[in-house]
Amino acid sequence: ADPAGRIVQTSATQVTLAPGTYLIAYHVSAILDAVGYLQVTPAYGGQGHLEYGVYGRTGTAGTSVSGSASWILTVPETTVLTLN
């Protein structure tokens, strides 16, 4: 929980950011049961942002895949951030 109340988890998949500047950082790690892709795309301001996404592909079933991203985000008005 943010003691200042500027970052509020509004659902299991969303946080709401009050106007300000934030360092956003996340890491994902998964084991894919089948050959395939992991894709996580941040969304805010009403659109997805592929430039801050994490993408990975496995060539063998049961293989782990992971990635991380970080960026500085300035929001001029209350904004919902999701990782899809």
Side-chain angles (χ1 to χ4, degrees), residues 7-16:
I7 304 168
V8 177
Q9 185 171 352
T10 49
S11 76
T13 60
Q14 298 179 332
V15 293
T16 299

mmCIF file of all heavy atoms in Angstrom, residues 7-16:
data_model
loop_
_atom_site.group_PDB
_atom_site.id
_atom_site.type_symbol
_atom_site.label_atom_id
_atom_site.label_comp_id
_atom_site.label_asym_id
_atom_site.label_seq_id
_atom_site.Cartn_x
_atom_site.Cartn_y
_atom_site.Cartn_z
ATOM 1 N N ILE A 7 -0.857 5.837 -5.291
ATOM 2 C CA ILE A 7 -0.935 4.603 -6.068
ATOM 3 C C ILE A 7 -1.954 3.708 -5.375
ATOM 4 O O ILE A 7 -1.773 3.336 -4.214
ATOM 5 C CB ILE A 7 0.420 3.882 -6.126
ATOM 6 C CG1 ILE A 7 1.497 4.813 -6.680
ATOM 7 C CG2 ILE A 7 0.318 2.598 -6.944
ATOM 8 C CD1 ILE A 7 2.911 4.295 -6.507
ATOM 9 N N VAL A 8 -3.029 3.376 -6.080
ATOM 10 C CA VAL A 8 -4.111 2.597 -5.479
ATOM 11 C C VAL A 8 -4.386 1.381 -6.354
ATOM 12 O O VAL A 8 -4.611 1.527 -7.563
ATOM 13 C CB VAL A 8 -5.393 3.448 -5.339
ATOM 14 C CG1 VAL A 8 -6.537 2.618 -4.773
ATOM 15 C CG2 VAL A 8 -5.125 4.673 -4.486
ATOM 16 N N GLN A 9 -4.358 0.188 -5.745
ATOM 17 C CA GLN A 9 -4.735 -1.011 -6.491
ATOM 18 C C GLN A 9 -6.250 -1.044 -6.562
ATOM 19 O O GLN A 9 -6.925 -1.252 -5.565
ATOM 20 C CB GLN A 9 -4.191 -2.273 -5.823
ATOM 21 C CG GLN A 9 -4.470 -3.502 -6.651
ATOM 22 C CD GLN A 9 -3.761 -4.736 -6.144
ATOM 23 O OE1 GLN A 9 -2.938 -4.677 -5.244
ATOM 24 N NE2 GLN A 9 -4.091 -5.865 -6.738
ATOM 25 N N THR A 10 -6.779 -0.826 -7.763
ATOM 26 C CA THR A 10 -8.232 -0.713 -7.937
ATOM 27 C C THR A 10 -8.890 -2.029 -8.324
ATOM 28 O O THR A 10 -10.104 -2.137 -8.287
ATOM 29 C CB THR A 10 -8.558 0.369 -8.986
ATOM 30 O OG1 THR A 10 -7.767 0.162 -10.149
ATOM 31 C CG2 THR A 10 -8.263 1.752 -8.433
ATOM 32 N N SER A 11 -8.088 -3.019 -8.732
ATOM 33 C CA SER A 11 -8.595 -4.367 -9.002
ATOM 34 C C SER A 11 -7.400 -5.307 -8.972
ATOM 35 O O SER A 11 -6.263 -4.873 -8.758
ATOM 36 C CB SER A 11 -9.309 -4.434 -10.355
ATOM 37 O OG SER A 11 -8.369 -4.451 -11.408
ATOM 38 N N ALA A 12 -7.648 -6.575 -9.226
ATOM 39 C CA ALA A 12 -6.556 -7.552 -9.231
ATOM 40 C C ALA A 12 -5.578 -7.314 -10.380
ATOM 41 O O ALA A 12 -4.450 -7.789 -10.350
ATOM 42 C CB ALA A 12 -7.124 -8.963 -9.310
ATOM 43 N N THR A 13 -6.001 -6.548 -11.389
ATOM 44 C CA THR A 13 -5.164 -6.347 -12.573
ATOM 45 C C THR A 13 -4.848 -4.881 -12.869
ATOM 46 O O THR A 13 -4.248 -4.592 -13.901
ATOM 47 C CB THR A 13 -5.858 -6.948 -13.816
ATOM 48 O OG1 THR A 13 -7.122 -6.293 -14.006
ATOM 49 C CG2 THR A 13 -6.072 -8.442 -13.665
ATOM 50 N N GLN A 14 -5.245 -3.969 -12.001
ATOM 51 C CA GLN A 14 -5.059 -2.545 -12.289
ATOM 52 C C GLN A 14 -4.584 -1.782 -11.066
ATOM 53 O O GLN A 14 -4.966 -2.088 -9.942
ATOM 54 C CB GLN A 14 -6.375 -1.908 -12.723
ATOM 55 C CG GLN A 14 -6.971 -2.456 -13.977
ATOM 56 C CD GLN A 14 -8.287 -1.785 -14.306
ATOM 57 O OE1 GLN A 14 -9.007 -1.303 -13.431
ATOM 58 N NE2 GLN A 14 -8.621 -1.742 -15.585
ATOM 59 N N VAL A 15 -3.762 -0.769 -11.331
ATOM 60 C CA VAL A 15 -3.455 0.236 -10.321
ATOM 61 C C VAL A 15 -3.805 1.592 -10.911
ATOM 62 O O VAL A 15 -3.687 1.810 -12.118
ATOM 63 C CB VAL A 15 -1.981 0.221 -9.862
ATOM 64 C CG1 VAL A 15 -1.660 -1.045 -9.104
ATOM 65 C CG2 VAL A 15 -1.026 0.422 -10.993
ATOM 66 N N THR A 16 -4.271 2.476 -10.062
ATOM 67 C CA THR A 16 -4.592 3.836 -10.475
ATOM 68 C C THR A 16 -3.513 4.760 -9.928
ATOM 69 O O THR A 16 -3.198 4.711 -8.734
ATOM 70 C CB THR A 16 -5.984 4.246 -9.971
ATOM 71 O OG1 THR A 16 -6.949 3.360 -10.538
ATOM 72 C CG2 THR A 16 -6.320 5.666 -10.378
#
